[in-house]
Amino acid sequence: MKCAISFFFILLSNVVFATQARLCHYQTWEWDTIQKRSVNHRQIVKSYSDLNEEEKGKNPNCTICEEDQIEIKLPDIPSFKICKIYAEEIKKVIIKTQKEGFPFQSIIAYRVGKSLGPTDGQGRRTIFSNHSYGEAIDFNSEMNGMYNNCRSFNEKCRLIHGGKYESKMIGALTNQSLIYQEMKNLGFHWGGEYAGSVKDFMHFSIAPL
């Protein structure tokens, strides 16, 4: 009996040690709303067991760690990383839409940084974006810009990131695009349909803005 108990505690200790020893790596920054640029770039290395709730995110499979991301490389497609649980399905979507003639000029998915939420005393954002967990992806930002003051898209909307949005351009995203339908089927929300004053036409995210 004593041997069995001893063996159990040894096994449990090994499991705990393995969990603590597993390292998480990521690079991050904060968006400075005064300087209008990212600042405080740094590399983080820590044990998975030391991750705080924000670093863990809402999905235990999609933490902020590089180790939970998979790089997708396809011919004639910019490489990018995305959370491992979405990688294969996203890859299929891109291959399918590319075969239908949709051009991919740029793709950005996993990219850690605090670009959301209230600002701190230095004017820096304090909340990680959905990109930080590999749960958001931007397609062709050059022609699918992000706007504010834009409850409905019109000439009064103000472009704040990316290129001018023209829905009839090849590579632009609309709710009639095949890629829109495919991403929606995977549970992603399109930034062009966000409620409120922001429209982010390049953006798909698991969590609505």
Side-chain angles (χ1 to χ4, degrees), residues 26-29 64 110-114 128-129 131-133:
Y26 68 90
Q27 298 183 39
T28 188
W29 45 266
I64 206 167
Y110 174 68
R111 178 189 59 195
V112 182
K114 293 189 174 183
F128 288 115
S129 73
H131 282 282
S132 300
Y133 308 99

Side-chain angles (χ1 to χ4, degrees), residues 66 68-72 80-85 87-88:
E66 291 180 7
D68 288 327
Q69 312 297 322
I70 288 180
E71 185 172 15
I72 294 179
F80 63 94
K81 291 182 179 181
I82 196 161
C83 179
K84 58 191 177 186
I85 65 172
E88 282 305 311

Side-chain angles (χ1 to χ4, degrees), residues 130-149:
N130 293 319
H131 282 282
S132 300
Y133 308 99
E135 293 194 302
I137 187 166
D138 295 341
F139 296 113
N140 295 348
S141 62
E142 301 85 355
M143 61 190 70
N144 294 289
M146 179 181 182
Y147 292 78
N148 65 8
N149 301 322

Side-chain angles (χ1 to χ4, degrees), residues 6 36 44 63-64 78 81 85 87 96 150 153 156 162 184:
S6 297
K36 305 297 183 184
I44 304 295
T63 72
I64 206 167
K81 291 182 179 181
I85 65 172
K96 181 176 181 178
C150 195
F153 187 66
K156 295 181 180 180
K184 186 176 180 179

Side-chain angles (χ1 to χ4, degrees), residues 93 96-97 100 102-104 139-140 144 165-185 190 193 201 204:
V93 167
K96 181 176 181 178
T97 52
E100 294 295 323
F102 187 85
F104 291 95
F139 296 113
N140 295 348
N144 294 289
Y165 178 65
E166 295 184 13
S167 60
K168 294 183 179 180
M169 289 184 64
I170 297 176
L173 298 165
T174 74
N175 58 10
Q176 301 301 311
S177 303
L178 174 61
I179 195 167
Y180 165 89
Q181 299 295 336
E182 294 292 331
M183 293 298 290
K184 186 176 180 179
N185 290 340
W190 181 44
E193 294 180 327
F201 295 103
F204 288 91

